[in-house]
Amino acid sequence: MKLSGAEILVRCLKEQGTDVLFGYPGGCVLDIYDAIYRDGTLKHVLTAHEQGAAHAADGYARATGKTGVCLATSGPGATNLVTGIATAYMDSVPLVAITGNVTVSNLGRDSFQEVDIAGVTMPITKHNYIVKDIRKLAPTIREAFSIANAGRKGPVLIDIPKNIQTEACEYEPEPAARRAPRAVERAAVEQAAEALRRAKRPLIVAGGGCIGAEAAENLHKLADILNAPVSSTLMGLGAFPASDARFLGMIGMHGSDASAKAFRRADTVVVCGMRFSDRVTGDRAKFREGKTIIQFDIDAAEIDKNVRADIAVMADVNETLKALLPLLEKTERPDWLKEVAAYKEYEAANTDKALPAARILQALRAFTDADTPVATDVGQHQMWTAQYYPFEKPRTLITSGGLGTMGFGMGAAIGACAGTGRKTVLVTGDGSFHMNMNELCTAVTHRLPLVILLMNNNCLGMVRQWQTLFYGKRYSQTTLNRQTDYLKLADAFGAKGLLLADPADAPKVLAEAFAAEGPVLVDCRIGIDDKVLPMIAPGKSFDDIITKLD
Amino acid sequence: MKKYTITALVANKSGVLTRVSGLFARRGFNIESLCVCTTEDEALSRMTIVLAGDEYTLDQMTKQLDKLIDVKKIAAAPEDASVYRELLLVKVKAPAEKRSEIIEIKDVYKAKIVDLSPETLILEITGEPNKLDGFIGVIEPYGILEMARTGVTALSRGASCLNDRKDYNELI
């Protein structure tokens, strides 16, 4: 059957299982919006700004495991997606970004709202396309979804000039391609098994790859069979249940003291889907000293990139674990588990229990369940959420790790909420919230059950913390002194606003927030000098962990 | 810094060169030379890239390039297992009294005269980069007006072909 390019796009999106897209109309996507209107079955979330749409598609993908789709017009519409695409790229999130562009005959002439978005996004996409031939439109869209989900996942952009949207072409429906992971190289897995059999004090580190590859179940089996403690990167949180006695919390710059101590003592470290970010390793050379490092990663370029691995298996981490588990025998390690349990106990006994954010986040547990998506922005509140909120299941923490995008949270929470249909929590800060708070209108319009906990310390807390520790308390441009009245702001947007002035009132205020139907903004007052601890200063090693400040 | 040679078969379409060179710039790797040409398959171009760095750079660069969708096959082309060739055109001052000397040098190096004017000659020489360097050293005292080197192009020795290799995107 002959269809227009815009209609083909809508059909192809449905072929791929897209049920909701996030976008913003404009001159060069009018035909696509017209096709969406006439089709009438694709849910569309109109955001306030294209950046919000990109983050929403990203949040949708992280929370559901499906491919997120965002749509924007040419020029500024397209460039507004850039931060969102880069965020997804750094955290390996499958995303398809669709942009309109001027007609092919007007390309390259600096036409109105023309930008070379394929050129702009080349370094932040797995691949991108400019479709200049209507016959290639359907195959390109199908390939884009396939690339976004193959191996290490990531964003793909398709730029569709306006004339391609209106030209007609024969369309044949096709089912979405299912990609089966390839077989794992047996020799490498056997080497890993051999090293693990020799290990006395093994430690497992779970990265975001465990979530991307749906490997949580086999990760758990690995911990069972090895009787090994498990640490997690920020991106790996949720891959291993926080309630498990062997879970040591996050590892790295703001990781737990227990993780740091266990890491120092471990003789063999199994790294599952983790890319040795500087935020995890600190001093790269010291990181591997006196240890056998076993790395499982689907991305060949991640092997030996930042830290040299003694044994590496380049394959889907879930497939690797499936191949590895039968080669291992259950090993009891009462001494090692007792040792790490003591580290955990020591840390629990020595943590500042008065920290307001920690009290609020601990109170939050009573109102959420293991499936509640919890999105964050970037900064102190993000690290506190990672430290104090117990993530039990994959895809429940929605956070920008690699790029560290302030302003990610509002869009991401909307996407996670729209994708899962669940009550969703956003933990944000007053700095991050001001970046994309315009999306509050989107949450209100769609009556999304969103509880926003705004950690309000009247400053850019994480930067202030660095200024306190490393810049002689010269608080350059980090004290906000804004006069924003969050309660009135929420009211003006049509949301509910609540004040949480004293963390002691958290249970009461949160009960009210969770009882409300639409979006609720809770202004949580916390201290300007509250710190995120522990901390390992950049480039330092696990020996230099700071757990207390004078 | 050592020099390493990489050969790649890439999709023959616009933008591929930008993807490849952009990757070098972004990752902070240095390209010494980049030679792109057509192949027996019109859908593919062949790239020969010489980079300056160490084993780490070579490993990273090969793996990062392999991930690009438009890079179909890629491998390091080590010196002992490859044939390297480069072409040089050099315009040299050649007044009548020096001309016979230059022609003698040309014969030693098996170069060719491809253009002649009352005051100048253009010489063409093909060979391994070292041979070209040597030739330039000898010809330089006569006065080089301008020169063009194509950069190295390479093929692996023996029966093995780049096309026999597996693409990273087939392994995942």
Side-chain angles (χ1 to χ4, degrees):
Chain A
M1 103 197 82
K2 239 181 165 125
L3 296 177
S4 74
E7 287 165 334
I8 291 173
L9 170 65
V10 170
R11 299 272 181 131
C12 286
L13 290 177
K14 292 205 288 191
E15 275 177 13
Q16 300 296 329
T18 303
D19 50 9
V20 50
L21 42 135
F22 305 88
Y24 203 97
C28 285
V29 283
L30 270 166
D31 294 284
I32 296 173
Y33 274 93
D34 191 49
I36 291 170
Y37 184 93
R38 283 185 284 110
D39 173 79
T41 63
L42 263 181
K43 190 178 167 199
H44 180 276
V45 174
L46 172 68
T47 54
H49 186 289
E50 288 90 348
Q51 186 183 347
H55 291 322
D58 177 325
Y60 167 93
R62 290 181 203 239
T64 63
K66 296 197 277 185
T67 310
V69 181
C70 58
L71 174 57
T73 192
S74 62
T79 54
N80 280 344
L81 295 178
V82 168
T83 302
I85 296 171
T87 304
Y89 185 69
M90 285 294 268
D91 290 343
S92 312
V93 176
L95 185 80
V96 171
I98 294 156
T99 51
N101 211 333
V102 299
T103 56
V104 171
S105 60
N106 279 334
L107 279 175
R109 294 173 188 272
D110 301 314
S111 310
F112 177 65
Q113 292 195 329
E114 181 193 352
V115 81
D116 172 20
I117 195 63
V120 170
T121 57
M122 212 172 263
I124 53 165
T125 50
K126 283 186 79 178
H127 195 56
N128 60 23
Y129 304 87
I130 307 171
V131 183
K132 291 183 180 174
D133 177 350
I134 176 76
R135 288 167 304 172
K136 289 194 179 143
L137 181 61
T140 300
I141 297 163
R142 291 167 187 146
E143 191 175 274
F145 274 84
S146 164
I147 290 172
N149 286 288
R152 180 175 180 176
K153 296 170 188 187
V156 179
L157 179 132
I158 313 170
D159 194 26
I160 310 175
K162 197 173 163 76
N163 61 304
I164 301 296
Q165 299 167 26
T166 52
E167 283 171 23
C169 176
E170 204 56 43
Y171 164 80
E172 285 290 337
E174 253 184 44
R178 286 275 158 259
R179 254 189 106 100
R182 308 282 154 150
V184 183
E185 197 199 325
R186 185 135 185 108
V189 179
E190 271 166 9
Q191 251 187 312
E194 178 56 36
L196 285 170
R197 281 194 289 269
R198 283 196 308 266
K200 296 267 180 295
R201 293 180 304 279
L203 171 71
I204 299 168
V205 184
C210 289
I211 292 170
E214 311 285 351
E217 198 186 319
N218 286 314
L219 180 73
H220 208 277
K221 285 184 187 161
L222 181 69
D224 284 342
I225 204 160
L226 289 178
N227 262 309
V230 180
S231 291
S232 171
T233 68
L234 176 67
M235 298 316 299
L237 287 174
F240 196 78
S243 57
D244 191 299
R246 290 161 301 187
F247 187 62
L248 302 179
M250 196 162 63
I251 190 164
M253 182 175 276
H254 291 298
S256 66
D257 185 41
S259 279
K261 283 177 173 154
F263 183 84
R264 265 163 29 201
R265 285 275 295 146
D267 62 350
T268 306
V269 181
V270 196
V271 167
C272 304
M274 175 193 106
R275 63 185 171 84
F276 297 93
S277 150
D278 54 286
R279 284 298 191 262
V280 167
T281 62
D283 184 335
R284 288 203 305 263
K286 258 194 138 170
F287 187 82
R288 67 179 316 290
E289 264 177 21
K291 294 186 203 311
T292 303
I293 306 263
I294 305 172
Q295 184 181 6
F296 300 149
D297 207 290
I298 183 68
D299 185 349
E302 287 305 341
I303 292 164
D304 295 339
K305 185 180 83 178
N306 290 342
V307 169
R308 194 172 54 73
D310 297 285
I311 297 158
V313 183
M314 199 273 309
D316 177 280
V317 64
N318 196 35
E319 294 302 310
T320 304
L321 293 176
K322 273 194 226 164
L324 174 69
L325 287 168
L327 305 179
L328 298 172
E329 270 172 38
K330 183 145 176 123
T331 316
E332 299 300 332
R333 297 177 212 280
D335 293 349
W336 175 226
L337 287 180
K338 226 160 88 188
E339 183 180 335
V340 295
Y343 295 151
K344 265 182 93 168
E345 269 166 46
Y346 175 85
E347 184 171 20
N350 288 280
T351 301
D352 175 13
K353 289 175 191 65
L355 186 77
R359 293 172 67 189
I360 297 165
L361 288 163
Q362 273 154 3
L364 175 63
R365 297 174 186 192
F367 300 95
T368 57
D369 58 42
D371 292 305
T372 306
V374 177
T376 79
D377 260 297
V378 168
Q380 285 186 314
H381 69 269
Q382 177 191 29
M383 291 299 111
W384 285 323
T385 307
Q387 291 174 333
Y388 297 111
Y389 185 85
F391 291 95
E392 291 292 315
K393 288 190 179 179
R395 306 199 176 281
T396 52
L397 171 61
I398 316 294
T399 196
S400 163
L403 200 67
T405 309
M406 286 175 72
F408 170 76
M410 267 312 295
I414 287 167
C417 190
T420 60
R422 287 178 182 279
K423 176 138 339 221
T424 299
V425 177
L426 166 64
V427 185
T428 183
D430 47 345
S432 288
F433 184 70
H434 269 91
M435 285 198 176
N436 278 330
M437 64 181 172
N438 50 0
E439 297 302 344
L440 198 51
C441 70
T442 313
V444 169
T445 306
H446 290 269
R447 303 182 57 80
L448 296 176
L450 201 60
V451 176
I452 304 163
L453 304 181
L454 189 150
M455 299 295 172
N456 181 0
N457 55 5
N458 192 35
C459 71
L460 302 178
M462 187 58 96
V463 185
R464 183 184 171 91
Q465 177 167 338
W466 284 49
Q467 288 171 334
T468 305
L469 298 174
F470 312 124
Y471 290 85
K473 300 192 179 179
R474 293 180 298 280
Y475 297 120
S476 179
Q477 300 299 319
T478 49
T479 313
L480 293 174
N481 282 327
R482 286 176 180 151
Q483 302 305 312
T484 312
D485 182 328
Y486 293 102
L487 273 50
K488 280 187 186 159
L489 179 97
D491 194 44
F493 271 103
K496 188 180 173 73
L498 293 169
L499 176 67
L500 174 48
D502 180 349
D505 298 333
K508 196 177 76 188
V509 177
L510 289 178
E512 199 182 340
F514 277 83
E517 274 189 6
V520 186
L521 176 63
V522 188
D523 177 4
C524 309
R525 301 289 170 84
I526 62 166
I528 193 163
D529 278 313
D530 295 349
K531 300 279 187 300
V532 178
L533 289 173
M535 179 172 191
I536 300 170
K540 298 282 179 139
S541 79
F542 286 84
D543 298 334
D544 307 312
I545 189 163
I546 305 164
T547 52
K548 271 198 169 59
L549 291 171
D550 304 320
Chain B
M1 275 199 286
K2 277 186 70 177
K3 284 186 193 174
Y4 295 90
T5 305
I6 298 173
T7 53
L9 291 171
V10 304
N12 179 17
K13 57 185 186 195
S14 66
V16 179
L17 185 58
T18 318
R19 290 184 199 279
V20 170
S21 58
L23 192 57
F24 274 80
R26 187 154 81 243
R27 300 262 173 200
F29 300 140
N30 297 317
I31 305 184
E32 286 270 318
S33 74
L34 174 63
C35 179
V36 191
C37 59
T38 55
T39 64
E40 69 284 359
D41 179 350
E42 67 175 25
L44 296 176
S45 302
R46 193 178 182 96
M47 281 190 183
T48 309
I49 304 159
V50 178
L51 64 95
D54 50 23
E55 291 282 341
Y56 170 80
T57 325
L58 174 68
D59 181 61
Q60 260 300 302
M61 206 59 232
T62 313
K63 287 169 170 177
Q64 295 288 0
L65 284 170
D66 209 354
K67 278 164 60 177
L68 293 181
I69 305 300
D70 285 335
V71 172
K72 304 298 179 192
K73 310 280 165 146
I74 187 162
E79 206 167 351
D80 54 357
S82 314
V83 177
Y84 296 158
R85 284 295 179 271
E86 189 176 5
L87 183 137
L88 163 75
L89 292 175
V90 55
K91 189 183 287 177
V92 57
K93 277 189 205 163
E97 68 274 17
K98 296 284 183 194
R99 198 160 287 182
S100 56
E101 283 179 35
I102 296 173
I103 290 171
E104 233 171 79
I105 296 168
K106 174 215 77 154
D107 288 340
V108 171
Y109 278 88
K110 297 197 175 82
K112 280 194 282 186
I113 296 169
V114 290
D115 184 68
L116 189 62
S117 79
E119 290 301 313
T120 65
L121 280 176
I122 295 181
L123 297 165
E124 176 201 308
I125 179 169
T126 310
E128 295 209 346
N130 290 343
K131 178 180 166 187
L132 270 54
D133 292 341
F135 181 69
I136 291 166
V138 179
I139 217 82
E140 205 160 28
Y142 298 95
I144 292 176
L145 295 167
E146 61 179 333
M147 61 182 241
R149 287 178 80 152
T150 57
V152 180
T153 192
L155 281 182
S156 60
R157 291 183 187 276
S160 76
C161 294
L162 192 51
N163 227 339
D164 304 336
R165 297 183 68 91
K166 270 216 150 73
D167 177 20
Y168 168 73
N169 290 304
E170 293 169 41
L171 295 173
I172 55 171

